């Protein structure tokens, strides 16, 4: 069939069809090789002659892989990559990791950034931490993350996990501790995000307008 390809889209376990053509590449800020969603992930587009009408995307480490039909034009590629980046980001922001998944994520992060040296015995969400984002008990090998970070960007959750994993190796917040976290390239970005959340919570509440 000639003309624009209107693919069915699949992203990880989520499948859906665009109704109005999706979001333009200009709106997402996508350009070849770079993703607009935080943190700045590399985007790898893979074309397949066997793929006819489907587009799919998934995260692979620090990159996003988008699979498209080989006959797509460059303009169509940019358009649908932009759609997939938006959809993946929206999916991840709504998805809450369970304790088991959180533990698996911690293991992967430890392996990637700490050479697997930080080995927690348990990693779980808790609802009784309202003044801290996470906590760690090195003697028990336990890590607890506040439910308040559920729904925050994944790079923020990863930073909090790495922060607590680092405490399994270095108890305090001295130079050795921060040197460990320097291996994570989004440390400053995540800290800035969390500081922004705290600052927003301290803003005075605007009283609701009363009817005259």
């Amino acid at each position: 069939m000639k003309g624009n390809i209107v693919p069915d889209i699949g992203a990880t376990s989520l499948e859906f069809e665009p109704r109005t053509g999706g979001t333009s590449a200009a709106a997402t800020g996508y350009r070849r090789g770079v993703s607009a969603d935080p943190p700045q992930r590399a985007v790898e587009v893979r074309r397949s002659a066997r793929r006819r009408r489907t587009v799919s995307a998934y995260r692979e480490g620090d990159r996003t892989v988008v699979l498209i039909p080989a006959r797509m034009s460059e303009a169509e590629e940019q358009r649908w990559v932009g759609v997939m980046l938006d959809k993946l980001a929206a999916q991840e922001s709504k998805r809450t990791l369970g304790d088991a998944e959180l533990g698996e994520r911690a293991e992967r992060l430890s392996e990637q950034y700490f050479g697997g040296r930080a080995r927690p015995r348990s990693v779980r969400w808790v609802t009784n931490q309202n003044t801290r984002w996470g906590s760690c008990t090195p003697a028990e090998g336990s890590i607890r993350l506040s439910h308040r970070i559920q729904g925050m960007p994944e790079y923020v959750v990863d930073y909090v996990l790495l922060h607590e994993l680092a405490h399994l190796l270095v108890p305090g917040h001295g130079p050795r501790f921060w040197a460990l976290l320097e291996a994570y390239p989004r440390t400053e970005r995540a800290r800035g995000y969390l500081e922004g959340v705290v600052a927003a919570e301290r803003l005075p509440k605007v009283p609701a307008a009363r009817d005259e």
Side-chain angles (χ1 to χ4, degrees):
M1 181 179 65
K2 295 182 179 180
N4 290 341
I5 299 173
V6 182
D8 300 324
I9 298 177
T12 61
S13 61
L14 178 66
E15 295 184 358
F16 55 92
E17 294 184 4
R19 298 187 181 278
T20 59
T23 307
S24 69
T28 62
Y30 165 75
R31 64 184 184 276
R32 186 179 293 272
V34 179
S35 162
D37 59 321
Q40 295 289 311
R41 295 175 184 270
V43 177
E44 179 181 343
V45 178
R46 298 177 184 173
R47 291 175 174 263
S48 171
R50 300 177 62 181
R51 184 176 290 268
R52 298 294 183 183
R53 292 179 54 81
T54 61
V55 173
S56 61
Y58 60 91
R59 305 297 196 195
E60 186 178 81
D62 285 342
R63 71 178 56 208
T64 301
V65 178
V66 182
L67 309 175
I68 65 173
R71 64 194 184 101
M72 263 193 178
S73 68
E74 184 172 335
E76 289 171 330
E77 171 191 320
Q78 291 187 6
R79 178 189 180 194
W80 289 110
V81 169
V83 170
M84 296 310 296
L85 294 180
D86 282 349
K87 295 297 183 181
L88 277 176
Q91 180 188 33
E92 290 169 349
S93 68
K94 294 178 181 178
R95 183 170 177 264
T96 300
L97 297 174
D99 288 351
E101 294 172 304
L102 201 62
E104 293 172 359
R105 191 170 191 141
E107 290 180 9
R108 290 196 299 270
L109 289 168
S110 174
E111 187 66 35
Q112 183 175 359
Y113 295 103
F114 299 154
R117 291 182 295 133
R119 299 181 178 276
R121 295 190 182 94
S122 67
V123 184
R124 60 191 176 91
W125 297 106
V126 294
T127 58
N128 61 351
Q129 290 189 161
N130 294 317
T131 60
R132 58 177 65 185
W133 304 117
S135 61
C136 172
T137 306
E140 299 175 358
S142 61
I143 290 175
R144 298 163 297 280
L145 265 58
S146 171
H147 71 288
R148 298 169 62 216
I149 68 172
Q150 290 177 341
M152 289 186 183
E154 63 175 8
Y155 72 97
V156 177
V157 177
D158 285 352
Y159 164 73
V160 177
L161 272 173
L162 281 165
H163 187 109
E164 303 309 330
L165 285 167
H167 278 311
L168 294 178
L169 304 174
V170 180
H173 290 97
R176 288 181 56 228
F177 175 85
W178 293 113
L180 285 174
L181 287 180
E182 285 179 359
Y184 184 58
R186 304 173 190 95
T187 289
E188 291 304 317
R189 186 186 185 103
R191 291 184 68 187
Y193 183 99
L194 294 172
E195 289 170 0
V197 171
V198 172
E201 291 175 345
R202 291 174 178 170
L203 290 174
K205 304 297 182 182
V206 178
R210 296 182 180 180
D211 294 334
E212 295 294 337

